[in-house]
Amino acid sequence: MEEQSEPQMEFHVSYLDADSGLVRTEVFAERGEAERFANARLKDEDSWAVVDAVAVQQARRLAA
């Protein structure tokens, strides 16, 4: 029986692009980098950003 290792994580930032009015997503390898990017998107009271930790294996299955 194979031992399963911890899944590799990536961090998806979904945010409202104030210039276009569209929801966009960026992907980062490091949580800190994703959080800094998300914080930079918060320009006014209508802005929002969400950071989701996603297992890389899960992300690949969803893309298939």
Side-chain angles (χ1 to χ4, degrees):
M1 186 175 210
E2 277 187 41
E3 201 174 306
Q4 291 186 353
S5 63
E6 295 253 341
Q8 180 101 15
M9 301 299 284
E10 61 186 21
F11 301 91
H12 295 196
V13 179
S14 299
Y15 65 97
L16 177 63
D17 181 341
D19 296 330
S20 68
L22 299 174
V23 175
R24 300 198 184 274
T25 301
E26 299 285 337
V27 178
F28 298 89
E30 301 289 329
R31 178 186 299 270
E33 187 178 5
E35 290 175 352
R36 285 189 296 277
F37 180 85
N39 286 336
R41 306 286 70 91
L42 304 177
K43 298 177 181 177
D44 59 36
E45 64 185 35
D46 294 325
S47 299
W48 58 267
V50 178
V51 178
D52 291 307
V54 179
V56 172
Q57 294 170 342
Q58 176 186 359
R60 287 187 185 138
R61 274 187 271 144
L62 292 174

